[in-house]
Amino acid sequence: MIDNHIVATVLVHLFTALAQLLLPKKTVPQMILSIAGCLLSFLLALALFMKVYSGGILTMNAANWDAPFGIVFVADLFSSTMVLLTSVAALAVSIFSAVGVGRARMLFGYFPIFHFLIMGLNGAFLTGDIFNLYVWFEVVIISSFVLLTLGGRIPQLEGAVKYMAMNILASMFFLTGIGILYGITGSLNMADLSLKIAQVEDRSVVNLTAIFFLVGFGIKSAVFPLYFWLPSSYHTPPSAVAAVFGGLLTKLGLYALFRCFTLLFVPDDFAQTVFIIIACATILTGAFGALIRTNIRRVLSYLIVCHIGFVVGGLGLCSKTALLGAVFYLIHDIIVKTNLFLIAGLIRQLRGTMNMGKLGGIYAEYPKISLLIAIVLFSLVGIPPLSGFWPKIYLIEAALMSKSYAFTASVILGSFITLFVVAKLWSEVFWKDAVVDEVIVDNFKPLKTGRKFLMILPIGILASTSLFIGLNAEFIIQVADRIANEMIDTTPYTSAVLGNK
Amino acid sequence: MKSPILQSASRYLLPILLLFSVFLLLRGHYYPGGGFVGGLVAAIAFVLHSFAFGTAESMKMLKYKPSAIIPVGLIVAAIAMFLPVLFGLPVMTGLWIEEPIPVVGMIGSALLFDIGVYLVVIGVVLTILFTISLETH
Amino acid sequence: MIKHLLMNLLLSFIWVALTGSLYFMNFFFGFLLGFSVLWILNRSEEDHRYFTRVPQTIMFIFFFVYEMIVANLQVAYDVITPKYFFKPGIVRYPLQADTDVEISILSTIISLTPGTLILDISEDKKWLYIHVMYLGDKERFIQRIKNGFEKRLLAILR
Amino acid sequence: MELLLVFLIGALYASGVYLILRRSMVRLLLGIILLGNGTNILIFLLGTITKGKPPVMAANLEVFEDIYADPIPQALILTAIVISFGLTSFAIVLLKRVYALLGTDDLDTLNTPQEEDI
Amino acid sequence: MTLNLYFDYVIFPLLSVSAILIFIRLFKGPDLVDRVISIDLIITTGIAVITAISIRSAQPVFLDVAVILALIAFLGTIAFSFYLDKQK
Amino acid sequence: MLFTILIGLITSCLLIPLGKYFRSPVSVALALLPVILFGYFVYHIPQVSSGETLYESTKWVPSLGINFDFRLDGLSLLFSLLITGIGSLIFVYASSYLKGHPYLDRFYGYLCLFMSAMLGVVLSDNILLLFIFWELTSISSFFLIGFNNDSAVSRKSALTALSMTGLGGFLLLAGMVLIGEMAGTYSIGELINASGVITEHPLYPLVLGLVLMGAFTKSAQFPFHFWLPGAMKAPTPVSAYLHSATMVKAGIFLMARFTPILGGTPLWSYTLLIVGGVTMLYAAVHSLFRTDLKGVLAYSTIAVLGVLTFLIGLGTEEAFIAAGTFIIAHALYKASLFLVTGVIDYQTGTRDITRLGGLRKVLFPVFVAGTLAALSSAGLPFSFGFIGKDLIYEATLTAGDPLRILLTVVAVIANICLVAAGFMAGIKPFAGALPTQFADVKMPSALVWIPPLILGLSGFALGCFPDLAGQYIVAPTVSALTVEPVEFTLKIWHGFNTVLLLSGITIIAGTVVYLFNKPAVSKIAFVERFNSYTPHYFFQKSWITFRRFSVWYTGFMHNGFLRSYLIKIIIFAEILLIYELVKGGPIYIDYGKLIPVSVHEGINVLILLGAIYLTVTTTSRLTAVVGTSIIGYAICLMFVFYSAPDLAITQFTIDTLTVVLFVFVLFNLPSFLVVAHGNRSIVIRDALVAGLFGILLSLTAIKVLQVPTVKDISEFYGKFAYSLAKGKNVVNIVLVDFRGFDTMFEIVVLSISAIGVYSLIKLRLKTSEKD
Amino acid sequence: MTVTDIFIAIFSTLGSLAILFAAIGMVRMPDFYLRLSVTVKAGTLGVGFLLFCAAVIFPDISVTTKAIAIAFFLILTAPVAAHMIARTAYHIGVPMWKDTVIDEFETEDERGDGEE
Ligand code: NA
Ligand code: NA
């Protein structure tokens, strides 16, 4: 079935970026284009999601070559959900950028690169071809390099060097894995691979291949002990950029990890054990780090790591409940983490710093904004019935079911530290009086009302999305449940792509 | 480091390289070559020129900033990619003019796409090299 | 002169078309044929440069190849025998050629001939600095280049 | 021949890894380049290698009559080469900027203390 | 003895030995410029090898590679000389 | 019932935009909310007391079995009445107590939220739903405790309280999920039926531990009690509401709720008995050493919570009756005492017992309220406290346990201390001479002294007509715990028996202790000497150690050195690869399938290896670049050997351009890689790690080479390249047609990197430019 | 072997030998300038011979033109490259062989009207 709709979000971002490249010196039209593009892409993503939700998996054979001969794009519920979430996050960040990103950065290609990044993410979620996935990964990586370094401050560059080295290493692992995969199957189409890998007699070769994907995607997802790039770099770029990074980049790694380890390789006992160990260690690592940091974005960076452990654990448990929980967590995390980094940016706008020691008094001065932020913070912790709560039930249930007490304990400890850290953050940043001997640089107050609104609006959009996820958990559970089914039974996927061959 | 010998050499090498790059571009469908290599060779032609005459001189010769070529190339390629959608086909599907044209052979969206690639590569390589060169020297 | 060259090429192509075989030797043969025809036809015209220059060029190429082989052999001999015979040096060579094209072609040729290598050219383009492997006598070397490559080259180009 | 290439791949990966573990940023870059080359050859080798049969049809043919080298790994590597050129050039310029700002390419010095966070 | 065998046992070994010798110079240096001209000559030898392979495998397609090498190999040398000149 | 919860939530949400209208005394109008709810619950008393349980259900998250399932049985009713009843008085009290506070509206918002959450906890018929409200109480109490957010101590207390209850909460969640897993349901009604399945499950101890951790942390049982005294930093209405009547009782409620599910086993009983007993003794004794009024009350509250735990642990019908009664009694007198304390604090500016006295002369109505509450707390006849105390002794004495004497003794000792503490809080400030500095203390608004007075009076009212409470509230409560109807009457007079004797002893001994135990600063100093043996100290120390470990661990893992990160990544990959390679068994090579080596190919590889060696070992940047470029050229040649002309061309051009790039960039760097020479052992280590990686990759490659390859896709390309894609260079066809999408976005990658390079070099932010 | 084959064998051998001489020269020559002097020409010549073989063996004008193009490009570029690197070497002071007889470039430099 020819359905160009699948790649529509990709194309929208591509053409938005191209249009912006043609207007390099005009920041306001770029802004408008960006928001319009994101809005359009959001609507398209929503339509795609609805279509897939009601009608099942959709495929599109690029260049009209049947799978497995050409590159195929597949919108199953997992990918279309990811695209939808990406679109929501992108829309929010795009609006925030209008105020949150300086003109100088806009003049040097902030917006086009941002759209290329989103395009890359969408492409990566939708592609059904492993090498094409690599290309999308590279689009994402190079865009993130550029966004990370845009501005060229010393900490930015330092972060970028580490970020770059480890991400390129990850790509190397990924590409090596693709090479081996082609060597043993002669194919690149993921559905085709799924069938062909099952037929390979020498399982140890398959397991070896899996390791390369594990390490490659593991680095991207920032799991223990591959996570170092994340806390080295996420505190450096402008907040709008950090928001995209925090919300989406590691999730792409997780998405790929899930795709690969459900469609291509089915984890054996060893792999499951590895995943569980990784998950526990990741949670603890993130928790320890978040506990001791004082810069908001550094804290958030470690919290990202911590919560990635939750999701990876779901993969390690590999039961339906676990996958459901992991997917739900992923959905929740994308929205909340994006929002938190935007909030960090807002805080910086309000006070000129992100150091908890120097912050304070925001609650007294901006009570309503603070309460809005509180919702997001407590969503992150998983205070019921906010969004982070539901997946934890599934994760704990799955962990207890498979007698994985270490993981259960890690989830509890991770949740507890998150709670503590968030409460402390609230108390330090919002409750505490403004620190007396610190000069408060409030760049928010002098803004025009419209621009203030543009800064708050995206946070509000994302917060309401979080609320929607939390209060309408049944719907999200339905979606996650179907996604988990897709992961466990891949026949619909392969037959949708290959036609019942 | 202006060398008259290099300068005069590059004066005749530049057109040769450019011609050759177009040659590579056009026959890519049949022989080794294509948009990438073509673009790289064309870029090298200008790089050579910049070695001989200085980057500022090369920029002057190009008239447009090399970075302006990038979006043009991308748009050409994107059009080639998007064109089939207008005919109700999946993106990227090859569209062909029925009759082959002498020298080039079959003309189709693939060639348009290759031209886009060619332009992008020129733009990219020159942007990178010229930016660095202008900043440093 | 260009007119003649084009005409000659046209004739070669016609020949190729007539014989129906685009084989290099055939084309070359066609070219020679065309050249003789043109030469015969244009004997009365004043501009004879084309017809003198083609043989001159061919002669020059042969001269160059000859020089190259001889010098190569000399160097080859020196390279494989244990003892070094060369007396290297850098010579300042006064140029007669003055246009860019002339200078480049001349320096290319000098560089391509074994034993000599252009190091640099003076700002005013009057002098070449040539690295020479076997520098017996500086003046003799300069004369050899002047009467050899440069003279023949200028004869063709001017 | 394959074994020789296998050995070569091992050497490329090993040297690449060794170089990225150095303190110098230039070496880091070189290491990345070597790793990239190693990966490319690995893909090339594992996609089976064929001598003297390029996947280009002779002018008079419309399908291959003989065996030919697998074009897919070649296309993949080509893409990979070009992509890594993009990444490498960015990385090189990053090196340049870091050097310009910090006056060193010693990676160990890239540790602005946390107190300087905004 | 066929031409192919002649190439395998004479031409390729000759060229290979040359490459090794040049590489020794590249290794020894002593100056950077020595290494640069070694690269240059290695590429030239490469062109020769490609031509030989093209003949040996009856695939004129490979000559296309040689064309590119011949046309742009010198750019590296120029770049190096540019570097050395500027650095001084 | 859902509306009882929603109404509070909605009110608190409405207070965000409309708050500014409620910062004045108008706020007292908000008390209508709990009053109405109280009325609602009172209305249901007859139904419930007749043994009926009311149910209500609204779909929410059916997949998880979490719906708005509510039940109103005796237990819920008891707590609902307390929550809304005392809540009404607190709402009234607060409007005057916090009059003029700039954030009064927020206070009411939190209070409404909290009340709803509490109602949710007690009304839920689903343990996960219960948990949801449970966590909401933690959060809303966090905001209430930290209400005076400009005070550092306040913030710290809020944080500690949230941490303790939060940690317990997560454990509770795990326990509940496990229960659900065992019984296949989260519904309380169904769980009660499935009780046997759970108690006989091998994981029962774990479940019990998890659930009780939740309950103990929330209801401040030893050794988790220390957050409660800290939480007294909250405004007094909060202390009165949360820490006497409601939130801390949520833990008790939980235990009661789970009694029919998890209870009845020795493990359950002994755990509760021991924890409850230790808590009540520890806290009761502790309360005598406090000088802060609120401190005294806090510790006595903890002690009472211990008593309640203890009673639930006893598990007899008598114990349940006692617990039910005592909950009411305690709520009434403790809330009253807190409110009285609040008035004293508000009017005199101090809560220090050593400085207070004689206030009856200036604050007479308050004095009445305090005295009534203190007497009820002491368990004097005609007070409801008296009934409660009697029932406790009855419960311990009829425990039928070999330990009943011990239990009774423990109860008596604890109660003696509680009597003294009650007097200290309710009588001491009013007794004796009025210090001169308090002579001009004014009478507060009636809104402040009426609520404690009502509470004190109702304590005595119920004391006189105990069966009113007994029949309508306590009995249904007990039957909710025992899951069968119970019959009993609460009487003031039981005749002369052991219980009366014990009551008498308690009151007399308590009064003696009160008279001889002079609160003094020296005593605090005395207690502080034992600080390092307290659980609080232990927890603090552990937390500090934990933090230190975090600092060390984070510093160790994330030490700022890129190469340390990279080596960890590589070693991780190596471990996995080694495992799989070893597990995969020996590696075979089919030499027959290999292509023979030609001289030039071999030499090419040799040169490659040499160039690699040169690149790795050289100390000159430029030589390293020369080395890499040779590597690139040799690879280009290799591509020619193996039929890849397109690759060869691309590799060559790109390699040349890379050289140019390097050259452009490198020349202003120093030419020597001086920093490269590190510690020799590091070099060896890195070389080993790198070498191992190479070997593993080679072995992997060899293994993969043995797998037969499938070529159907590339054959398809060969077959249709010309007929369908109209080209003869298949690689190029793949690039622009078959896999054109790759190429399209590959040029995007290139473009982005060009933009990046451009901006990296050109963009220089001024320090003034913000993000 | 046909006549063409023998013809090709001879010329390819010549070509390879020329390159071998260049390589030997590369190793053996005492200074940079001498090495450069040898290599540029011998290398070009060697390739030229081999290209001639290719032109002969493939009966196709496109191959012939390609061979000519390669040779032409080499002749065009090799001396330029050699000149550039030699000049640079001289500028940065790469030493000449001890037996060098005359260096007029140096005197030029001293006169001060050398480049830059
Ligand atoms: Na000799
Ligand atoms: Na010469």
Side-chain angles (χ1 to χ4, degrees), chain F residues 663-677:
Chain F
V663 157
F664 270 156
V665 170
L666 287 187
F667 78 87
N668 49 7
L669 271 68
S671 0
F672 291 97
L673 303 158
V674 265
V675 292
H677 291 291

Side-chain angles (χ1 to χ4, degrees), chain F residues 392-403:
Chain F
I392 293 170
Y393 293 141
E394 213 172 298
T396 55
L397 287 170
T398 56
D401 200 276
L403 295 170

Side-chain angles (χ1 to χ4, degrees), chain D residues 2-71:
Chain D
E2 281 94 339
L3 287 183
L4 213 53
L5 287 186
V6 162
F7 186 69
L8 173 66
I9 289 166
L12 278 171
Y13 273 98
S15 54
V17 168
Y18 179 79
L19 284 178
I20 61 171
L21 295 178
R22 301 299 90 211
R23 279 173 65 175
S24 154
M25 195 165 152
V26 176
R27 291 204 159 158
L28 175 74
L29 284 177
L30 295 173
I32 287 171
I33 292 175
L34 289 193
L35 283 175
N37 283 330
T39 316
N40 289 343
I41 298 181
L42 182 96
I43 298 174
F44 197 58
L45 170 69
L46 298 183
T48 60
I49 52 175
T50 315
K51 277 194 207 177
K53 310 280 180 201
V56 179
M57 289 173 212
N60 52 344
L61 298 178
E62 299 204 340
V63 283
F64 287 103
E65 291 177 333
D66 201 358
I67 55 155
Y68 56 95
D70 190 342

Side-chain angles (χ1 to χ4, degrees), chain A residues 65 69 100 104-105 129 131-132 153 162 183 204 224 227-228 232 270 285 348 363 367 397 416 471 474, chain F residues 60-64 106 110 149-150 163 181 550 553 557-558 560 579 703 709 717 737 739 742 769 771:
Chain A
W65 297 106
F69 304 111
R105 287 191 164 101
D129 185 283
F131 188 78
N132 196 236
R153 293 204 167 91
K162 292 167 186 167
S204 75
F224 176 92
Y227 66 94
F228 307 100
S232 305
F270 172 68
T285 306
R348 166 125 194 255
Y363 187 47
E397 186 186 337
F416 170 64
L471 300 176
E474 180 61 22
Chain F
W60 186 23
V61 187
S63 303
L64 267 171
R106 286 184 206 170
Y110 301 142
N149 56 42
D150 40 3
S163 304
E181 199 45 50
S550 300
Y553 174 83
M557 289 302 286
H558 195 244
Y579 175 86
K703 268 184 98 89
T709 39
Y717 288 175
D737 198 328
R739 302 189 61 87
D742 285 348
E769 279 174 290
D771 301 313

